[in-house]
Amino acid sequence: MSGKALFLDRDGVVNIEIGYLHRVEEVRFLPGIFSLCRTAMRLGYRLVIVTNQSGIARGYYTEADFETLMFWMRGELRAQGVELDAVYYCPYHPEHGVGEYKREHEDRKPGAGMLLRAQREFGVSLADSVMVGDRCSDIAAANGAGLRQAFLIAGTEEAACTGRYLAVRELAEIEGWLEQNS
Ligand SMILES: [Mg+2]
């Protein structure tokens, strides 16, 4: 296993964004996500989900609800030949958090905390790693951590993001890039 990772935001990348997703029955996987992940695995990338979960901070659902959903999601991915190496999430929000969840945190994207965690835990080389996101905060985290490449799935953000990235319409475009550049 080489030391590079494909970092995946969750909402809007792995599953279709519906806003504060927390029920299994509301999960719809993005077209092409299984194939992208299988290709990345074959090319030696670890698969790491990095997701802001302000719904936990806001009290819309609990960390246990999140864990339950992710246990199910990992099973669905496994059935498609995809094994996640890690799921990192940030349950904090500096303004809208309730109680202990109201705080700044380096993990919250655009912070790079979750990417640095993969570097510590798996020896991931950030300079060889790739991020897929649908928000400018994903791009900022990727740029801040010095990742090799960041991809923005077009559609969620209304305007362009600052920073260095490639905008794509479909996950298949990222799969093609990995094939050609790994
Ligand atoms: Mg997202």
Side-chain angles (χ1 to χ4, degrees):
M1 174 68 74
S2 62
K4 57 190 177 184
L6 180 66
F7 291 104
L8 300 163
D9 173 43
R10 194 193 73 179
D11 300 314
V13 174
V14 178
N15 55 269
I16 293 170
E17 170 75 281
I18 62 165
Y20 307 111
L21 171 72
H22 61 287
R23 292 189 184 93
V24 162
E25 56 270 28
E26 292 177 332
V27 174
R28 300 287 180 274
F29 287 98
L30 240 72
I33 188 64
F34 303 131
S35 183
L36 169 63
C37 288
R38 285 192 298 258
T39 293
M41 289 170 68
R42 176 168 53 76
L43 294 170
Y45 290 86
R46 288 184 182 278
L47 298 178
V48 179
I49 288 184
V50 288
T51 176
N52 285 351
Q53 289 294 318
S54 81
I56 297 171
R58 294 166 194 257
Y60 297 166
Y61 48 94
T62 66
E63 294 197 53
D65 294 332
F66 175 83
E67 299 280 3
T68 298
L69 178 65
M70 289 316 300
F71 181 82
W72 177 86
M73 190 177 275
R74 289 178 94 131
E76 294 294 299
L77 290 164
R78 193 172 296 124
Q80 300 290 332
V82 174
E83 192 67 46
L84 298 178
D85 289 280
V87 175
Y88 298 148
Y89 67 99
C90 179
Y92 305 108
H93 193 285
E95 295 131 45
H96 302 295
V98 175
E100 63 179 313
Y101 291 115
K102 180 174 177 160
R103 55 166 291 192
E104 303 272 2
H105 200 287
E106 62 180 7
D107 281 356
R108 183 171 165 77
K109 297 174 289 185
M114 293 189 281
L115 311 184
L116 298 172
R117 196 162 144 198
Q119 182 186 43
R120 284 197 306 274
E121 293 191 358
F122 297 112
V124 162
S125 166
L126 297 174
D128 295 316
S129 295
V130 176
M131 161 75 91
V132 184
D134 69 325
R135 292 190 186 275
C136 296
S137 54
D138 299 317
I139 301 306
N143 287 176
L147 297 199
R148 180 179 178 199
Q149 184 64 57
F151 289 97
L152 180 77
I153 300 172
T156 302
E157 294 285 5
E158 292 181 3
C161 305
T162 57
R164 196 173 53 80
Y165 66 94
L166 292 173
V168 297
R169 293 247 152 234
E170 299 186 340
L171 294 176
E173 296 172 58
I174 302 168
E175 193 176 345
W177 186 94
L178 290 179
E179 292 273 17
Q180 305 226 314
N181 293 278
S182 301

